[in-house]
């Protein structure tokens, strides 16, 4: 008899490591490693969360009907085609589990979100990275990567960690040229931050094609990352598949309540958007002024190039209680990703960089 072995592919996964930010020695660390909001979440979402404290002995509504109705109304969608998840991470997992397996290929963009190759490997499929140009997804390279074995193409738009995005025209051309059997997953986790006119979140493509999925999350502009809440807009056939495979109560009572309240708190959303926009411009200008290469970003984070010293610089910042994200796992070891913080946080970051650059 031999000892139990996991299914093929699983041991090839390097576990996902989140951003640092916990420390005993520093009173108020500046946590800019996980694209979280420095403002906390919407007070209305927090109230809604507290209000359901007396309901925790009850199972949640497994269909998340009220939350889906609120989303359908907000974004003009068919509620029957929305599926909610424990973070959009869960939906990525469910999509890949449902449509790919051993011998299949899952395409993602070279510096795309790490969860894509992780999930492909988890089901024994081959993750295929399509090269980027200047840290931006390239639709031609993505199309060239397609083979008869391709089942899914996962694309974060805008992408984390690069901050770049594909225009609505590029997305449309990509879908038109992709074979029908390939599902295109547009992960629009940062959509609410993007104000560029040539951007769209992917909803229109879901309405127009039977093989496009759009994913969204409450972790980013709504800042409920700790609650775990995401959602997707699906073709009905695929929504039906995901509803069969998901666990019956995958979205908790507090997540549903806080999600509905967060969606309605327009003032808070706008405040977060402005904070990200202004902070991004500030960091970009100041760091460029120090001679650093800052990649253009439309998210609430920026990617900065430091060359071979990147890791030393990250550790030097950490010593000062400033946490930024190392990018080795994304094959960008010479870069650091910095989440936009409060004006005060951003100022601190810039001042530390001034000291570091002087040395
Ligand atoms: C943060 C993020 C998500 C959201 O993850 P959740 O599981 O909803 O917290 C999804 N995709 C990308 C690209 C992200 O950066």
């Amino acid at each position: 008899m031999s000892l139990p072995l996991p299914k093929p592919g699983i041991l090839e996964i390097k576990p996902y490591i989140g951003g640092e930010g916990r420390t005993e020695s520093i009173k108020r660390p500046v946590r800019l490693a996980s694209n979280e909001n420095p403002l906390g979440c919407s007070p209305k979402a927090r109230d809604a969360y507290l209000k359901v404290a007396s309901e925790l002995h009850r199972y949640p509504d497994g269909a998340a009907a009220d939350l889906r109705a609120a989303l359908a109304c907000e974004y003009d969608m068919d509620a029957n085609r929305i599926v909610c998840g424990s973070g959009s991470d869960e939906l990525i997992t469910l999509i890949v589990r449902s449509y790919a397996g051993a011998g299949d290929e899952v395409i993602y963009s070279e510096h795309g979100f790490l969860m894509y190759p992780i999930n492909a490997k988890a089901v024994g499929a081959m993750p295929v990275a399509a090269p980027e140009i200047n840290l931006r997804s390239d639709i031609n390279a993505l199309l060239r990567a397609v083979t008869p074995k391709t089942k899914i193409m996962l694309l974060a738009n805008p992408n984390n960690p690069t901050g770049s995005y594909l225009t609505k025209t590029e997305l449309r051309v990509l879908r038109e040229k992709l074979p029908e059997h390939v599902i295109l997953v547009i992960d629009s986790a940062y959509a609410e931050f993007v104000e560029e006119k040539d951007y769209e979140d992917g909803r229109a493509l879901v309405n127009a094609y039977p093989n496009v999925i759009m994913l969204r999350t409450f972790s980013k502009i709504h800042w409920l990352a700790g609650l775990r809440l995401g959602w997707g807009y699906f073709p009905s056939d695929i929504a039906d598949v995901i509803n069969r495979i998901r666990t019956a109560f995958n979205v908790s009572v507090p997540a549903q309540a806080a999600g509905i309240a967060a969606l309605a708190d327009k003032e808070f959303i706008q405040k977060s958007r402005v904070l990200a926009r202004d902070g991004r411009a500030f960091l970009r200008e100041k760091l460029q002024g120090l001679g650093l290469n800052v990649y253009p970003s439309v998210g609430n984070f920026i990617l900065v190039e430091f060359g071979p010293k990147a890791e030393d610089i990250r550790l030097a910042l950490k010593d000062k209680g400033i946490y930024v994200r190392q990018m080795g796992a994304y094959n960008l070891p010479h870069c650091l990703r910095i989440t936009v913080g409060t004006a005060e946080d951003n100022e601190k970051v810039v001042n530390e960089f001034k000291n570091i650059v002087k040395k």
Side-chain angles (χ1 to χ4, degrees), residues 8 149 187 280 293:
K149 293 179 182 165
D187 177 354
R280 199 169 61 207
N293 181 19

Side-chain angles (χ1 to χ4, degrees), residues 9-29:
I10 293 179
L11 292 179
E12 286 163 37
I13 296 173
K14 279 198 204 121
Y16 183 85
I17 299 173
E20 281 187 291
R22 267 169 232 290
T23 169
E24 255 75 86
S25 57
I26 290 158
K27 267 218 189 84
R28 208 195 74 85

